[in-house]
Amino acid sequence: MPSFDIVSKVDPQTLENAVNTAKKELQTRYDLRDTKGGIELDKKTNVITLTSENDMRIRALEDIVLTRLVKQGIDGTALDFTEEAHASGTMMKKAVKVRAGIDKDAGRKIIKAIKDAKVKVEAQMQDDQVRVSAKKIDELQAAIAALRSADIGQPLQFVNMK
C-alpha cells in the first residue's frame, strides 16, 4: 500500500547560516550599529534569543532574522514570534522558537484538511509526523496538493513516498 510521511523540520546548518548572516547584518546596519544586544542561537533547544535596549530594536532584529531565514530557503512560518519581549535589567529579551516536528494541534489540522479534501486516503498521527496511506499513488498526490493549498501554520515536508 503506497504511503508517505508529513514532517516539519528545519535544517540545522541552514538555520545556523541564516543566524550568522543576520549577526553580520546587525553589525553593518547604521540604525542598529550602537546596539548593545544581539542575536543568539541555542542549537540544542532550537531557540533564537534577541536582545536589545528597547522594543523597537527587538522588532528590527525580528525583521532581520526573518529576512535572512527566508533568503536561506527556510519558511518564515517555522518561527514562533508569539512570545512577548520581557525586560532583563536594562535590556529587553525575546525568545523565538523554531518549530520542529508536528504537534497534536497541527496534526489534527492536517488530518482535517485531508478529510475536507474528500481524498480516499487514511491519515494517522505518529509521534511528531503524520503517516498518509492510500491504495493508489494518484490519491496520495491529490492529498499533497490539498495540503499545499491549506494553511496549517507551519512548513510541511513530504518524505518517504513508497
Side-chain angles (χ1 to χ4, degrees), residues 96-107:
V96 179
K97 294 179 184 170
V98 180
R99 293 184 182 128
I102 297 175
D103 60 347
K104 296 288 184 194
D105 292 334

Side-chain angles (χ1 to χ4, degrees), residues 4-155:
F4 69 90
D5 295 330
I6 303 169
V7 297
S8 178
K9 58 185 175 182
V10 175
D11 181 34
Q13 185 62 45
T14 308
L15 178 65
E16 185 177 1
N17 289 344
V19 170
N20 288 338
T21 309
K23 285 180 185 179
K24 287 180 184 177
E25 182 177 339
L26 176 64
Q27 294 171 352
T28 60
R29 288 247 320 237
Y30 182 76
D31 59 337
L32 299 173
R33 74 171 174 197
D34 60 343
T35 300
K36 294 181 179 137
I39 303 168
E40 295 297 321
L41 172 66
D42 186 4
K43 295 178 192 174
K44 291 182 181 176
T45 60
N46 270 352
V47 174
I48 300 171
T49 306
L50 308 175
T51 312
S52 190
E53 291 94 8
N54 56 36
D55 197 40
M56 181 198 72
R57 289 189 176 173
I58 291 284
R59 285 194 301 264
L61 292 177
E62 286 177 5
D63 186 45
I64 291 171
V65 169
L66 186 60
T67 304
R68 292 298 159 190
L69 283 172
V70 170
K71 284 187 179 180
Q72 289 282 340
I74 298 174
D75 194 350
T77 58
L79 297 180
D80 184 13
F81 288 109
T82 56
E83 186 178 319
E84 292 295 318
H86 61 278
S88 174
T90 60
M91 303 293 275
M92 297 284 287
K93 282 189 174 185
K94 182 168 185 173
V96 179
K97 294 179 184 170
V98 180
R99 293 184 182 128
I102 297 175
D103 60 347
K104 296 288 184 194
D105 292 334
R108 285 189 202 108
K109 285 182 185 177
I110 291 169
I111 293 171
K112 184 179 183 317
I114 291 172
K115 285 183 180 180
D116 290 344
K118 307 260 191 254
V119 182
K120 295 181 182 179
V121 296
E122 293 180 24
Q124 57 189 13
M125 201 58 200
Q126 292 181 344
D127 294 331
D128 62 345
Q129 66 183 15
V130 176
R131 167 79 41 99
V132 180
S133 57
K135 292 182 180 177
K136 296 181 181 178
I137 292 181
D138 293 339
E139 293 167 350
L140 292 179
Q141 291 173 340
I144 291 173
L147 286 172
R148 288 188 196 265
S149 63
D151 182 27
I152 304 299
Q154 69 185 71

